[in-house]
Amino acid sequence: MLPDYHIHTALCKHATGDVTEYRSGAKKQGIPEICFADHVPNPDGYDPAHRMALDQFSSYREMIEALQNGETPEVLLGVEVDYYEGCERFLREWLPAQEFDFVLGSVHFIEEWGFDNPEERHVWDSADITATWRKYFNVLLKVANSGLFDAVGHLDLPKKFGHRPKEKDLKEMVQPVLDSIAKTGMGIELNTSGLRKPVGEIYPSPFIVAMAREREIPICFGSDAHRPDDVGDRFALALDLAREVGYTDYFRIRQRRKELVRLPEA
Ligand code: ZN
Ligand code: FE
Ligand code: FE
Ligand code: ZN
């Protein structure tokens, strides 16, 4: 089984279950390693409804450290950083000071619009789909160029409710982002939460994963579980996808250093 590198905790206010339940969920499936990557705090008041407060970070860390007791699966300390204009002011110094194993960079907002939030889904009804995706990838390019992150989370998240640009437009938009990811040594995650969303597809799409493969961008796997039952959700499909486009390895990470590991045999 593959490690699950994208698991949330109740501290983000929209996940359920205790961290021990996430770990037992992983153990039952024979998952060797998990990484909690809960939404990062940011003292500038960004989207407080979906994250821990800065003064809760020590309890997050302690909760995870308590699971680092030699039992399997091994538990890593990570965060999912929501990137937005200006977030570096805090993160540039704070992130490297925290001894994270894994820092995932994600984009959930275009300007003030939480485009993947079901409560703001109606905004899509009057949005120009291609222009919206273009804006999204412009933000993602900053994520890739920032040097702050180890991997990009759910790389084609704007497809969540089924809104997609034409493939030729997508290709042209995603190319510079993948080039930058490759150049800076970042990875991407194959995130199975898309299978639980209206789009019904892993993030990113096979088309993009194939483009990542061409650039030898390392991959990892994440369920984006917000409840213990979703740990390792349909990783067999993600593994198939990785193999289909020619991947033979994935990465594991410790203290932000990646190591390539062979994918399990078919
Ligand atoms: Zn979340
Ligand atoms: Fe996310
Ligand atoms: Fe997440
Ligand atoms: Zn996520």
PDB file of all heavy atoms in Angstrom, residues 89-122:
ATOM      1  N   ARG A  89       4.357  36.895   3.656  1.00  0.00           N
ATOM      2  CA  ARG A  89       4.792  37.794   4.739  1.00  0.00           C
ATOM      3  C   ARG A  89       4.972  37.028   6.043  1.00  0.00           C
ATOM      4  O   ARG A  89       5.930  37.239   6.768  1.00  0.00           O
ATOM      5  CB  ARG A  89       3.760  38.928   4.945  1.00  0.00           C
ATOM      6  CG  ARG A  89       3.924  40.088   3.980  1.00  0.00           C
ATOM      7  CD  ARG A  89       3.170  41.314   4.465  1.00  0.00           C
ATOM      8  NE  ARG A  89       1.721  41.105   4.394  1.00  0.00           N
ATOM      9  CZ  ARG A  89       1.001  41.310   3.292  1.00  0.00           C
ATOM     10  NH1 ARG A  89       1.578  41.770   2.203  1.00  0.00           N
ATOM     11  NH2 ARG A  89      -0.290  41.082   3.289  1.00  0.00           N
ATOM     12  N   PHE A  90       4.024  36.148   6.319  1.00  0.00           N
ATOM     13  CA  PHE A  90       4.109  35.321   7.521  1.00  0.00           C
ATOM     14  C   PHE A  90       4.878  34.020   7.267  1.00  0.00           C
ATOM     15  O   PHE A  90       5.737  33.616   8.052  1.00  0.00           O
ATOM     16  CB  PHE A  90       2.684  35.025   7.998  1.00  0.00           C
ATOM     17  CG  PHE A  90       2.606  33.970   9.071  1.00  0.00           C
ATOM     18  CD1 PHE A  90       3.123  34.203  10.344  1.00  0.00           C
ATOM     19  CD2 PHE A  90       2.016  32.737   8.812  1.00  0.00           C
ATOM     20  CE1 PHE A  90       3.048  33.235  11.330  1.00  0.00           C
ATOM     21  CE2 PHE A  90       1.941  31.761   9.800  1.00  0.00           C
ATOM     22  CZ  PHE A  90       2.456  32.008  11.057  1.00  0.00           C
ATOM     23  N   LEU A  91       4.583  33.380   6.124  1.00  0.00           N
ATOM     24  CA  LEU A  91       5.056  32.016   5.914  1.00  0.00           C
ATOM     25  C   LEU A  91       6.554  31.900   5.650  1.00  0.00           C
ATOM     26  O   LEU A  91       7.172  30.908   6.022  1.00  0.00           O
ATOM     27  CB  LEU A  91       4.294  31.379   4.756  1.00  0.00           C
ATOM     28  CG  LEU A  91       2.792  31.186   5.005  1.00  0.00           C
ATOM     29  CD1 LEU A  91       2.108  30.732   3.724  1.00  0.00           C
ATOM     30  CD2 LEU A  91       2.552  30.177   6.124  1.00  0.00           C
ATOM     31  N   ARG A  92       7.113  32.893   5.017  1.00  0.00           N
ATOM     32  CA  ARG A  92       8.524  32.844   4.611  1.00  0.00           C
ATOM     33  C   ARG A  92       9.422  32.515   5.818  1.00  0.00           C
ATOM     34  O   ARG A  92      10.371  31.752   5.702  1.00  0.00           O
ATOM     35  CB  ARG A  92       8.886  34.187   3.950  1.00  0.00           C
ATOM     36  CG  ARG A  92      10.275  34.367   3.462  1.00  0.00           C
ATOM     37  CD  ARG A  92      10.621  33.860   2.064  1.00  0.00           C
ATOM     38  NE  ARG A  92       9.702  34.100   0.963  1.00  0.00           N
ATOM     39  CZ  ARG A  92       9.688  33.317  -0.129  1.00  0.00           C
ATOM     40  NH1 ARG A  92      10.503  32.292  -0.235  1.00  0.00           N
ATOM     41  NH2 ARG A  92       8.835  33.566  -1.105  1.00  0.00           N
ATOM     42  N   GLU A  93       9.120  33.055   6.968  1.00  0.00           N
ATOM     43  CA  GLU A  93       9.945  32.761   8.144  1.00  0.00           C
ATOM     44  C   GLU A  93       9.356  31.660   9.012  1.00  0.00           C
ATOM     45  O   GLU A  93      10.079  30.883   9.617  1.00  0.00           O
ATOM     46  CB  GLU A  93      10.114  34.027   8.999  1.00  0.00           C
ATOM     47  CG  GLU A  93      11.001  35.019   8.309  1.00  0.00           C
ATOM     48  CD  GLU A  93      11.496  36.117   9.227  1.00  0.00           C
ATOM     49  OE1 GLU A  93      11.415  35.948  10.467  1.00  0.00           O
ATOM     50  OE2 GLU A  93      11.940  37.132   8.695  1.00  0.00           O
ATOM     51  N   TRP A  94       8.030  31.643   9.065  1.00  0.00           N
ATOM     52  CA  TRP A  94       7.385  30.700   9.988  1.00  0.00           C
ATOM     53  C   TRP A  94       7.518  29.249   9.532  1.00  0.00           C
ATOM     54  O   TRP A  94       7.840  28.370  10.339  1.00  0.00           O
ATOM     55  CB  TRP A  94       5.906  31.080  10.152  1.00  0.00           C
ATOM     56  CG  TRP A  94       5.192  30.264  11.182  1.00  0.00           C
ATOM     57  CD1 TRP A  94       5.185  30.459  12.537  1.00  0.00           C
ATOM     58  CD2 TRP A  94       4.359  29.113  10.943  1.00  0.00           C
ATOM     59  NE1 TRP A  94       4.412  29.497  13.146  1.00  0.00           N
ATOM     60  CE2 TRP A  94       3.897  28.667  12.204  1.00  0.00           C
ATOM     61  CE3 TRP A  94       3.973  28.414   9.793  1.00  0.00           C
ATOM     62  CZ2 TRP A  94       3.051  27.558  12.340  1.00  0.00           C
ATOM     63  CZ3 TRP A  94       3.140  27.304   9.938  1.00  0.00           C
ATOM     64  CH2 TRP A  94       2.685  26.893  11.195  1.00  0.00           C
ATOM     65  N   LEU A  95       7.288  28.982   8.251  1.00  0.00           N
ATOM     66  CA  LEU A  95       7.308  27.591   7.763  1.00  0.00           C
ATOM     67  C   LEU A  95       8.626  26.873   8.059  1.00  0.00           C
ATOM     68  O   LEU A  95       8.615  25.791   8.650  1.00  0.00           O
ATOM     69  CB  LEU A  95       7.020  27.533   6.258  1.00  0.00           C
ATOM     70  CG  LEU A  95       5.565  27.630   5.781  1.00  0.00           C
ATOM     71  CD1 LEU A  95       5.530  27.606   4.254  1.00  0.00           C
ATOM     72  CD2 LEU A  95       4.716  26.499   6.344  1.00  0.00           C
ATOM     73  N   PRO A  96       9.774  27.473   7.674  1.00  0.00           N
ATOM     74  CA  PRO A  96      11.039  26.755   7.902  1.00  0.00           C
ATOM     75  C   PRO A  96      11.363  26.562   9.382  1.00  0.00           C
ATOM     76  O   PRO A  96      12.167  25.704   9.734  1.00  0.00           O
ATOM     77  CB  PRO A  96      12.101  27.661   7.254  1.00  0.00           C
ATOM     78  CG  PRO A  96      11.352  28.600   6.383  1.00  0.00           C
ATOM     79  CD  PRO A  96       9.987  28.749   6.971  1.00  0.00           C
ATOM     80  N   ALA A  97      10.718  27.314  10.262  1.00  0.00           N
ATOM     81  CA  ALA A  97      11.009  27.215  11.698  1.00  0.00           C
ATOM     82  C   ALA A  97      10.224  26.092  12.385  1.00  0.00           C
ATOM     83  O   ALA A  97      10.378  25.874  13.587  1.00  0.00           O
ATOM     84  CB  ALA A  97      10.724  28.551  12.372  1.00  0.00           C
ATOM     85  N   GLN A  98       9.362  25.372  11.653  1.00  0.00           N
ATOM     86  CA  GLN A  98       8.443  24.430  12.312  1.00  0.00           C
ATOM     87  C   GLN A  98       8.812  22.953  12.241  1.00  0.00           C
ATOM     88  O   GLN A  98       8.069  22.110  12.701  1.00  0.00           O
ATOM     89  CB  GLN A  98       7.014  24.589  11.761  1.00  0.00           C
ATOM     90  CG  GLN A  98       6.462  25.979  11.863  1.00  0.00           C
ATOM     91  CD  GLN A  98       6.639  26.582  13.239  1.00  0.00           C
ATOM     92  OE1 GLN A  98       6.399  25.911  14.244  1.00  0.00           O
ATOM     93  NE2 GLN A  98       7.075  27.831  13.300  1.00  0.00           N
ATOM     94  N   GLU A  99       9.894  22.609  11.597  1.00  0.00           N
ATOM     95  CA  GLU A  99      10.294  21.193  11.504  1.00  0.00           C
ATOM     96  C   GLU A  99       9.231  20.302  10.869  1.00  0.00           C
ATOM     97  O   GLU A  99       8.966  19.188  11.344  1.00  0.00           O
ATOM     98  CB  GLU A  99      10.684  20.651  12.888  1.00  0.00           C
ATOM     99  CG  GLU A  99      11.796  21.471  13.504  1.00  0.00           C
ATOM    100  CD  GLU A  99      12.321  20.903  14.812  1.00  0.00           C
ATOM    101  OE1 GLU A  99      11.571  20.202  15.509  1.00  0.00           O
ATOM    102  OE2 GLU A  99      13.489  21.165  15.097  1.00  0.00           O
ATOM    103  N   PHE A 100       8.634  20.799   9.817  1.00  0.00           N
ATOM    104  CA  PHE A 100       7.668  19.984   9.089  1.00  0.00           C
ATOM    105  C   PHE A 100       8.380  18.898   8.294  1.00  0.00           C
ATOM    106  O   PHE A 100       9.512  19.074   7.836  1.00  0.00           O
ATOM    107  CB  PHE A 100       6.882  20.839   8.085  1.00  0.00           C
ATOM    108  CG  PHE A 100       5.856  21.708   8.725  1.00  0.00           C
ATOM    109  CD1 PHE A 100       5.911  23.087   8.573  1.00  0.00           C
ATOM    110  CD2 PHE A 100       4.822  21.165   9.472  1.00  0.00           C
ATOM    111  CE1 PHE A 100       4.959  23.900   9.161  1.00  0.00           C
ATOM    112  CE2 PHE A 100       3.870  21.970  10.065  1.00  0.00           C
ATOM    113  CZ  PHE A 100       3.934  23.349   9.905  1.00  0.00           C
ATOM    114  N   ASP A 101       7.676  17.774   8.111  1.00  0.00           N
ATOM    115  CA  ASP A 101       8.138  16.783   7.157  1.00  0.00           C
ATOM    116  C   ASP A 101       7.720  17.156   5.742  1.00  0.00           C
ATOM    117  O   ASP A 101       8.433  16.899   4.785  1.00  0.00           O
ATOM    118  CB  ASP A 101       7.546  15.405   7.511  1.00  0.00           C
ATOM    119  CG  ASP A 101       8.176  14.841   8.768  1.00  0.00           C
ATOM    120  OD1 ASP A 101       9.420  14.729   8.811  1.00  0.00           O
ATOM    121  OD2 ASP A 101       7.434  14.543   9.726  1.00  0.00           O
ATOM    122  N   PHE A 102       6.532  17.760   5.634  1.00  0.00           N
ATOM    123  CA  PHE A 102       5.938  17.945   4.299  1.00  0.00           C
ATOM    124  C   PHE A 102       5.078  19.210   4.285  1.00  0.00           C
ATOM    125  O   PHE A 102       4.225  19.397   5.160  1.00  0.00           O
ATOM    126  CB  PHE A 102       5.064  16.725   3.994  1.00  0.00           C
ATOM    127  CG  PHE A 102       4.453  16.689   2.620  1.00  0.00           C
ATOM    128  CD1 PHE A 102       5.182  17.053   1.493  1.00  0.00           C
ATOM    129  CD2 PHE A 102       3.136  16.263   2.441  1.00  0.00           C
ATOM    130  CE1 PHE A 102       4.615  16.999   0.225  1.00  0.00           C
ATOM    131  CE2 PHE A 102       2.566  16.200   1.181  1.00  0.00           C
ATOM    132  CZ  PHE A 102       3.312  16.568   0.072  1.00  0.00           C
ATOM    133  N   VAL A 103       5.310  20.052   3.295  1.00  0.00           N
ATOM    134  CA  VAL A 103       4.524  21.272   3.137  1.00  0.00           C
ATOM    135  C   VAL A 103       3.886  21.262   1.749  1.00  0.00           C
ATOM    136  O   VAL A 103       4.571  21.320   0.729  1.00  0.00           O
ATOM    137  CB  VAL A 103       5.393  22.539   3.332  1.00  0.00           C
ATOM    138  CG1 VAL A 103       4.559  23.795   3.107  1.00  0.00           C
ATOM    139  CG2 VAL A 103       6.023  22.556   4.721  1.00  0.00           C
ATOM    140  N   LEU A 104       2.567  21.160   1.767  1.00  0.00           N
ATOM    141  CA  LEU A 104       1.796  21.085   0.535  1.00  0.00           C
ATOM    142  C   LEU A 104       1.258  22.485   0.233  1.00  0.00           C
ATOM    143  O   LEU A 104       0.738  23.145   1.126  1.00  0.00           O
ATOM    144  CB  LEU A 104       0.640  20.115   0.802  1.00  0.00           C
ATOM    145  CG  LEU A 104      -0.221  19.564  -0.303  1.00  0.00           C
ATOM    146  CD1 LEU A 104       0.608  18.807  -1.324  1.00  0.00           C
ATOM    147  CD2 LEU A 104      -1.273  18.635   0.308  1.00  0.00           C
ATOM    148  N   GLY A 105       1.385  22.935  -1.003  1.00  0.00           N
ATOM    149  CA  GLY A 105       0.863  24.255  -1.387  1.00  0.00           C
ATOM    150  C   GLY A 105      -0.387  24.101  -2.229  1.00  0.00           C
ATOM    151  O   GLY A 105      -0.379  23.392  -3.230  1.00  0.00           O
ATOM    152  N   SER A 106      -1.468  24.751  -1.815  1.00  0.00           N
ATOM    153  CA  SER A 106      -2.750  24.632  -2.514  1.00  0.00           C
ATOM    154  C   SER A 106      -3.344  26.010  -2.767  1.00  0.00           C
ATOM    155  O   SER A 106      -3.063  26.953  -2.033  1.00  0.00           O
ATOM    156  CB  SER A 106      -3.763  23.863  -1.664  1.00  0.00           C
ATOM    157  OG  SER A 106      -3.357  22.543  -1.425  1.00  0.00           O
ATOM    158  N   VAL A 107      -4.182  26.097  -3.780  1.00  0.00           N
ATOM    159  CA  VAL A 107      -4.905  27.341  -4.044  1.00  0.00           C
ATOM    160  C   VAL A 107      -6.400  27.055  -3.947  1.00  0.00           C
ATOM    161  O   VAL A 107      -6.918  26.196  -4.666  1.00  0.00           O
ATOM    162  CB  VAL A 107      -4.565  27.901  -5.446  1.00  0.00           C
ATOM    163  CG1 VAL A 107      -5.416  29.124  -5.771  1.00  0.00           C
ATOM    164  CG2 VAL A 107      -3.077  28.248  -5.523  1.00  0.00           C
ATOM    165  N   HIS A 108      -7.072  27.743  -3.041  1.00  0.00           N
ATOM    166  CA  HIS A 108      -8.521  27.592  -2.853  1.00  0.00           C
ATOM    167  C   HIS A 108      -9.272  28.878  -3.164  1.00  0.00           C
ATOM    168  O   HIS A 108     -10.495  28.917  -3.074  1.00  0.00           O
ATOM    169  CB  HIS A 108      -8.863  27.166  -1.426  1.00  0.00           C
ATOM    170  CG  HIS A 108      -8.273  25.860  -0.994  1.00  0.00           C
ATOM    171  ND1 HIS A 108      -7.150  25.760  -0.224  1.00  0.00           N
ATOM    172  CD2 HIS A 108      -8.650  24.581  -1.238  1.00  0.00           C
ATOM    173  CE1 HIS A 108      -6.861  24.488   0.006  1.00  0.00           C
ATOM    174  NE2 HIS A 108      -7.747  23.746  -0.606  1.00  0.00           N
ATOM    175  N   PHE A 109      -8.539  29.949  -3.446  1.00  0.00           N
ATOM    176  CA  PHE A 109      -9.188  31.244  -3.688  1.00  0.00           C
ATOM    177  C   PHE A 109      -8.663  31.889  -4.961  1.00  0.00           C
ATOM    178  O   PHE A 109      -7.457  31.865  -5.227  1.00  0.00           O
ATOM    179  CB  PHE A 109      -8.919  32.226  -2.532  1.00  0.00           C
ATOM    180  CG  PHE A 109      -9.818  32.015  -1.347  1.00  0.00           C
ATOM    181  CD1 PHE A 109      -9.530  31.025  -0.422  1.00  0.00           C
ATOM    182  CD2 PHE A 109     -10.958  32.783  -1.174  1.00  0.00           C
ATOM    183  CE1 PHE A 109     -10.363  30.811   0.675  1.00  0.00           C
ATOM    184  CE2 PHE A 109     -11.794  32.580  -0.088  1.00  0.00           C
ATOM    185  CZ  PHE A 109     -11.502  31.595   0.835  1.00  0.00           C
ATOM    186  N   ILE A 110      -9.562  32.457  -5.751  1.00  0.00           N
ATOM    187  CA  ILE A 110      -9.181  33.331  -6.847  1.00  0.00           C
ATOM    188  C   ILE A 110      -9.692  34.704  -6.458  1.00  0.00           C
ATOM    189  O   ILE A 110     -10.908  34.901  -6.315  1.00  0.00           O
ATOM    190  CB  ILE A 110      -9.812  32.890  -8.185  1.00  0.00           C
ATOM    191  CG1 ILE A 110      -9.308  31.491  -8.569  1.00  0.00           C
ATOM    192  CG2 ILE A 110      -9.500  33.898  -9.285  1.00  0.00           C
ATOM    193  CD1 ILE A 110     -10.093  30.853  -9.704  1.00  0.00           C
ATOM    194  N   GLU A 111      -8.776  35.631  -6.272  1.00  0.00           N
ATOM    195  CA  GLU A 111      -9.134  36.908  -5.659  1.00  0.00           C
ATOM    196  C   GLU A 111      -9.916  36.600  -4.374  1.00  0.00           C
ATOM    197  O   GLU A 111      -9.442  35.844  -3.555  1.00  0.00           O
ATOM    198  CB  GLU A 111      -9.845  37.818  -6.669  1.00  0.00           C
ATOM    199  CG  GLU A 111      -8.834  38.342  -7.712  1.00  0.00           C
ATOM    200  CD  GLU A 111      -9.413  38.561  -9.110  1.00  0.00           C
ATOM    201  OE1 GLU A 111     -10.638  38.540  -9.291  1.00  0.00           O
ATOM    202  OE2 GLU A 111      -8.600  38.769 -10.036  1.00  0.00           O
ATOM    203  N   GLU A 112     -11.127  37.114  -4.202  1.00  0.00           N
ATOM    204  CA  GLU A 112     -11.826  36.863  -2.931  1.00  0.00           C
ATOM    205  C   GLU A 112     -12.763  35.648  -3.000  1.00  0.00           C
ATOM    206  O   GLU A 112     -13.472  35.355  -2.049  1.00  0.00           O
ATOM    207  CB  GLU A 112     -12.642  38.107  -2.530  1.00  0.00           C
ATOM    208  CG  GLU A 112     -11.829  39.361  -2.324  1.00  0.00           C
ATOM    209  CD  GLU A 112     -10.862  39.239  -1.149  1.00  0.00           C
ATOM    210  OE1 GLU A 112     -11.340  39.104  -0.007  1.00  0.00           O
ATOM    211  OE2 GLU A 112      -9.627  39.243  -1.389  1.00  0.00           O
ATOM    212  N   TRP A 113     -12.757  34.964  -4.135  1.00  0.00           N
ATOM    213  CA  TRP A 113     -13.738  33.910  -4.370  1.00  0.00           C
ATOM    214  C   TRP A 113     -13.198  32.533  -3.975  1.00  0.00           C
ATOM    215  O   TRP A 113     -12.222  32.062  -4.564  1.00  0.00           O
ATOM    216  CB  TRP A 113     -14.140  33.944  -5.846  1.00  0.00           C
ATOM    217  CG  TRP A 113     -15.033  32.831  -6.293  1.00  0.00           C
ATOM    218  CD1 TRP A 113     -15.949  32.142  -5.543  1.00  0.00           C
ATOM    219  CD2 TRP A 113     -15.102  32.272  -7.612  1.00  0.00           C
ATOM    220  NE1 TRP A 113     -16.581  31.185  -6.318  1.00  0.00           N
ATOM    221  CE2 TRP A 113     -16.083  31.255  -7.582  1.00  0.00           C
ATOM    222  CE3 TRP A 113     -14.432  32.551  -8.808  1.00  0.00           C
ATOM    223  CZ2 TRP A 113     -16.397  30.503  -8.719  1.00  0.00           C
ATOM    224  CZ3 TRP A 113     -14.742  31.807  -9.931  1.00  0.00           C
ATOM    225  CH2 TRP A 113     -15.731  30.794  -9.881  1.00  0.00           C
ATOM    226  N   GLY A 114     -13.844  31.911  -3.000  1.00  0.00           N
ATOM    227  CA  GLY A 114     -13.499  30.546  -2.632  1.00  0.00           C
ATOM    228  C   GLY A 114     -14.147  29.612  -3.641  1.00  0.00           C
ATOM    229  O   GLY A 114     -15.206  29.043  -3.399  1.00  0.00           O
ATOM    230  N   PHE A 115     -13.496  29.452  -4.805  1.00  0.00           N
ATOM    231  CA  PHE A 115     -14.134  28.840  -5.976  1.00  0.00           C
ATOM    232  C   PHE A 115     -14.478  27.358  -5.780  1.00  0.00           C
ATOM    233  O   PHE A 115     -15.267  26.807  -6.524  1.00  0.00           O
ATOM    234  CB  PHE A 115     -13.242  29.014  -7.220  1.00  0.00           C
ATOM    235  CG  PHE A 115     -11.925  28.306  -7.086  1.00  0.00           C
ATOM    236  CD1 PHE A 115     -11.792  26.978  -7.463  1.00  0.00           C
ATOM    237  CD2 PHE A 115     -10.808  28.960  -6.572  1.00  0.00           C
ATOM    238  CE1 PHE A 115     -10.581  26.315  -7.329  1.00  0.00           C
ATOM    239  CE2 PHE A 115      -9.596  28.296  -6.431  1.00  0.00           C
ATOM    240  CZ  PHE A 115      -9.486  26.970  -6.807  1.00  0.00           C
ATOM    241  N   ASP A 116     -13.879  26.706  -4.780  1.00  0.00           N
ATOM    242  CA  ASP A 116     -14.203  25.282  -4.566  1.00  0.00           C
ATOM    243  C   ASP A 116     -15.133  25.097  -3.371  1.00  0.00           C
ATOM    244  O   ASP A 116     -15.464  23.972  -3.011  1.00  0.00           O
ATOM    245  CB  ASP A 116     -12.934  24.433  -4.399  1.00  0.00           C
ATOM    246  CG  ASP A 116     -12.352  24.503  -2.994  1.00  0.00           C
ATOM    247  OD1 ASP A 116     -12.270  25.622  -2.436  1.00  0.00           O
ATOM    248  OD2 ASP A 116     -11.985  23.444  -2.455  1.00  0.00           O
ATOM    249  N   ASN A 117     -15.552  26.187  -2.770  1.00  0.00           N
ATOM    250  CA  ASN A 117     -16.447  26.126  -1.616  1.00  0.00           C
ATOM    251  C   ASN A 117     -17.890  25.942  -2.110  1.00  0.00           C
ATOM    252  O   ASN A 117     -18.389  26.774  -2.874  1.00  0.00           O
ATOM    253  CB  ASN A 117     -16.298  27.436  -0.830  1.00  0.00           C
ATOM    254  CG  ASN A 117     -17.147  27.461   0.422  1.00  0.00           C
ATOM    255  OD1 ASN A 117     -18.073  26.649   0.591  1.00  0.00           O
ATOM    256  ND2 ASN A 117     -16.839  28.384   1.302  1.00  0.00           N
ATOM    257  N   PRO A 118     -18.551  24.850  -1.701  1.00  0.00           N
ATOM    258  CA  PRO A 118     -19.928  24.617  -2.161  1.00  0.00           C
ATOM    259  C   PRO A 118     -20.845  25.820  -1.928  1.00  0.00           C
ATOM    260  O   PRO A 118     -21.762  26.072  -2.720  1.00  0.00           O
ATOM    261  CB  PRO A 118     -20.381  23.419  -1.311  1.00  0.00           C
ATOM    262  CG  PRO A 118     -19.123  22.713  -0.949  1.00  0.00           C
ATOM    263  CD  PRO A 118     -18.057  23.773  -0.834  1.00  0.00           C
ATOM    264  N   GLU A 119     -20.565  26.593  -0.878  1.00  0.00           N
ATOM    265  CA  GLU A 119     -21.414  27.773  -0.614  1.00  0.00           C
ATOM    266  C   GLU A 119     -21.195  28.890  -1.627  1.00  0.00           C
ATOM    267  O   GLU A 119     -22.000  29.808  -1.714  1.00  0.00           O
ATOM    268  CB  GLU A 119     -21.131  28.317   0.798  1.00  0.00           C
ATOM    269  CG  GLU A 119     -21.729  27.443   1.888  1.00  0.00           C
ATOM    270  CD  GLU A 119     -21.123  27.721   3.256  1.00  0.00           C
ATOM    271  OE1 GLU A 119     -20.706  28.876   3.507  1.00  0.00           O
ATOM    272  OE2 GLU A 119     -21.059  26.781   4.060  1.00  0.00           O
ATOM    273  N   GLU A 120     -20.092  28.818  -2.360  1.00  0.00           N
ATOM    274  CA  GLU A 120     -19.818  29.859  -3.362  1.00  0.00           C
ATOM    275  C   GLU A 120     -19.852  29.298  -4.784  1.00  0.00           C
ATOM    276  O   GLU A 120     -19.404  29.923  -5.732  1.00  0.00           O
ATOM    277  CB  GLU A 120     -18.453  30.511  -3.072  1.00  0.00           C
ATOM    278  CG  GLU A 120     -18.426  31.185  -1.708  1.00  0.00           C
ATOM    279  CD  GLU A 120     -17.086  31.867  -1.406  1.00  0.00           C
ATOM    280  OE1 GLU A 120     -16.609  32.623  -2.266  1.00  0.00           O
ATOM    281  OE2 GLU A 120     -16.537  31.614  -0.322  1.00  0.00           O
ATOM    282  N   ARG A 121     -20.424  28.117  -4.895  1.00  0.00           N
ATOM    283  CA  ARG A 121     -20.480  27.442  -6.191  1.00  0.00           C
ATOM    284  C   ARG A 121     -21.280  28.232  -7.227  1.00  0.00           C
ATOM    285  O   ARG A 121     -20.959  28.236  -8.416  1.00  0.00           O
ATOM    286  CB  ARG A 121     -21.114  26.060  -5.980  1.00  0.00           C
ATOM    287  CG  ARG A 121     -21.285  25.265  -7.242  1.00  0.00           C
ATOM    288  CD  ARG A 121     -21.912  23.909  -6.956  1.00  0.00           C
ATOM    289  NE  ARG A 121     -22.169  23.196  -8.195  1.00  0.00           N
ATOM    290  CZ  ARG A 121     -22.426  21.901  -8.258  1.00  0.00           C
ATOM    291  NH1 ARG A 121     -22.472  21.182  -7.157  1.00  0.00           N
ATOM    292  NH2 ARG A 121     -22.658  21.317  -9.414  1.00  0.00           N
ATOM    293  N   HIS A 122     -22.331  28.922  -6.763  1.00  0.00           N
ATOM    294  CA  HIS A 122     -23.197  29.672  -7.685  1.00  0.00           C
ATOM    295  C   HIS A 122     -22.432  30.707  -8.506  1.00  0.00           C
ATOM    296  O   HIS A 122     -22.871  31.094  -9.587  1.00  0.00           O
ATOM    297  CB  HIS A 122     -24.331  30.353  -6.910  1.00  0.00           C
ATOM    298  CG  HIS A 122     -23.830  31.356  -5.906  1.00  0.00           C
ATOM    299  ND1 HIS A 122     -23.483  31.009  -4.619  1.00  0.00           N
ATOM    300  CD2 HIS A 122     -23.568  32.679  -6.024  1.00  0.00           C
ATOM    301  CE1 HIS A 122     -23.049  32.084  -3.978  1.00  0.00           C
ATOM    302  NE2 HIS A 122     -23.087  33.115  -4.810  1.00  0.00           N
TER     303      HIS A 122
END
